[in-house]
Amino acid sequence: QVQLVESGGGLVQPGGSLRLSCAASGFTFSTKIMNWYRQAPGKERELVAQITSTGGSTNYADSVKGRFTISRDNAKNTVYLQMNSLKPEDTAVYYCNSQWNWADYWGQGTQVTVSS
């Protein structure tokens, strides 16, 4: 079955960095667009970054452009989110996601807290 397992979250000070990882299994990872979403308390889940199957194209939410970088390693079935210059407003649960055949697949999420 499809599994997406996020890791790498934690507590970081403003201006710091974190690297999230999402290990995928149960499907042909190299053929799927992959996404990172986040959900802050009291807010709707939002798309943060997206990467095409080959990694040749990426898209970002305006709020993270220039600070976050999405990448993937198809040999390791893993997608990453490098987060730099973190701000308190980046605090949220971050989710790995992929969508195909009218279905949505989600990981369990990893908490990122940006606070001094």
Side-chain angles (χ1 to χ4, degrees), residues 15-18 64 66-69 82-87 90:
S17 297
L18 281 176
V64 307
R67 301 188 298 121
F68 290 12
T69 302
Q82 177 67 44
M83 305 186 295
N84 299 329
S85 303
L86 282 161
K87 305 175 181 180
D90 294 318

Side-chain angles (χ1 to χ4, degrees), residues 11-91:
L11 173 63
V12 63
Q13 292 188 342
S17 297
L18 281 176
R19 188 196 197 201
L20 306 184
S21 299
C22 171
S25 61
F27 63 102
T28 309
F29 178 79
S30 62
T31 66
K32 299 297 187 283
I33 292 169
M34 296 299 298
N35 308 303
W36 282 100
Y37 281 78
R38 68 184 180 187
Q39 188 165 22
K43 295 189 176 182
E44 292 190 355
R45 194 170 293 191
E46 64 169 342
L47 179 63
V48 174
Q50 182 179 78
I51 188 166
T52 55
S53 59
T54 62
S57 182
T58 57
N59 287 296
Y60 298 92
D62 287 344
S63 58
V64 307
K65 277 181 184 175
R67 301 188 298 121
F68 290 12
T69 302
I70 188 171
S71 62
R72 67 192 295 161
D73 186 337
N74 285 347
K76 295 183 178 180
N77 286 0
T78 301
V79 60
Y80 305 97
L81 186 67
Q82 177 67 44
M83 305 186 295
N84 299 329
S85 303
L86 282 161
K87 305 175 181 180
E89 51 263 43
D90 294 318
T91 295

Side-chain angles (χ1 to χ4, degrees), residues 102-115:
W102 300 280
D104 251 321
Y105 300 95
W106 297 94
Q108 83 287 353
T110 186
Q111 176 70 48
V112 171
T113 301
V114 184
S115 175

